[in-house]
Amino acid sequence: MLTMPILFLRAGILTGILVILLSGFISYTTCRIYVTHLAKGDTDIEDSIKRILGSKWERAFKLITGYYLVFLNIIYVELIIDQLYNVIYFFMNLLEHSDWISPKGVPQLVFDRFSVQYLSLICFLPLLGMIFIKDLSFLVRLTALGFISVLIYLAFLFYAFFSNLQIVDWSTIPWFSTNLGNLAGSCAIAFTIHPTVALIVKRNELQ
């Protein structure tokens, strides 16, 4: 989400719009297929796949989604640490204590001052503790706060866009580009909701 404007700029205006529209169409269509074939007795997508395609495809679905979610969580942890380190680095420079923290993008391991390695170790413990949480109501409240932060970020994007619209050099912004991989990959994160779409529909029915 935070890197979308940069990725959109690299992909080109029209090309980026087409990638986002295509990704949204695929996500909507596949979710609609899930919901259409969801029987009353199915509590999850796994039940639908087992009922329609058999146990073999159910195991394949579990294997694919399992690996996908593991790798996706690794990417999420990297993004969390990267964004948090940028915030800490900003305040260290603001307080004129940049010598206390390692510069960003250093290829070697740094342990003689605060670095990405130390931040990774610090973040590992709370992230590991989240695995053992049985009462998920706390995480649901955190999700609501995350949604508010996304709205604030969107408001900032619109403000920055319109306030800088008059000084934008449109000749430097490509309309078309073949650099679509990063933008398409970020849009593909939307497919993470697919394994939970059945649960969302079931919860809505109960309310």
Side-chain angles (χ1 to χ4, degrees):
M1 179 65 185
L2 297 176
T3 59
M4 284 295 286
I6 299 175
L7 299 178
F8 194 85
L9 176 63
R10 293 176 181 175
I13 297 177
L14 294 180
T15 315
I17 292 174
L18 290 175
V19 169
I20 292 176
L21 290 176
L22 180 61
S23 176
F25 173 76
I26 294 174
S27 182
Y28 169 77
T29 303
T30 50
C31 281
R32 192 169 184 272
I33 292 173
Y34 278 144
V35 175
T36 301
H37 295 87
L38 187 66
K40 291 184 177 180
D42 296 341
T43 58
D44 204 345
I45 298 299
E46 299 173 4
D47 296 334
S48 300
I49 294 177
K50 184 177 181 180
R51 175 173 51 83
I52 298 172
L53 300 176
S55 300
K56 180 180 179 180
W57 287 101
E58 180 200 14
R59 290 192 294 269
F61 174 80
K62 291 180 179 179
L63 182 65
I64 293 171
T65 53
Y67 276 110
Y68 176 71
L69 291 176
V70 166
F71 287 120
L72 189 66
N73 284 322
I74 293 174
I75 295 174
Y76 274 141
V77 171
E78 290 183 354
L79 290 175
I80 290 171
I81 294 173
D82 181 66
Q83 295 298 327
L84 186 57
Y85 193 79
N86 287 331
V87 172
I88 297 174
Y89 190 84
F90 171 78
F91 282 106
M92 285 292 189
N93 281 276
L94 192 65
L95 298 173
E96 298 182 354
H97 288 299
S98 58
D99 56 323
W100 292 4
I101 187 170
S102 174
K104 295 182 293 183
V106 176
Q108 67 270 15
L109 299 177
V110 178
F111 291 102
D112 59 346
R113 67 182 78 175
F114 189 78
S115 61
V116 174
Q117 287 74 39
Y118 281 119
L119 182 61
S120 301
L121 293 173
I122 294 171
C123 292
F124 174 76
L125 293 177
L127 292 175
L128 179 64
M130 292 175 62
I131 301 176
F132 302 99
I133 295 178
K134 295 181 179 180
D135 185 7
L136 299 180
S137 59
F138 173 71
L139 296 180
V140 172
R141 289 194 294 270
L142 285 181
T143 305
L145 294 176
F147 178 73
I148 294 174
S149 66
V150 170
L151 293 180
I152 294 173
Y153 180 67
L154 286 176
F156 167 75
L157 287 181
F158 280 108
Y159 169 76
F161 173 77
F162 288 108
S163 61
N164 293 282
L165 191 59
Q166 296 180 351
I167 60 174
V168 172
D169 185 5
W170 293 96
S171 62
T172 62
I173 301 177
W175 290 90
F176 295 95
S177 175
T178 57
N179 188 10
L180 305 177
N182 292 329
L183 179 61
S186 298
C187 293
I189 296 178
F191 296 116
T192 56
I193 68 170
H194 284 52
T196 60
V197 66
L199 295 175
I200 295 173
V201 173
K202 287 295 182 181
R203 292 295 181 184
N204 289 336
E205 289 180 352
L206 296 175
Q207 292 180 358

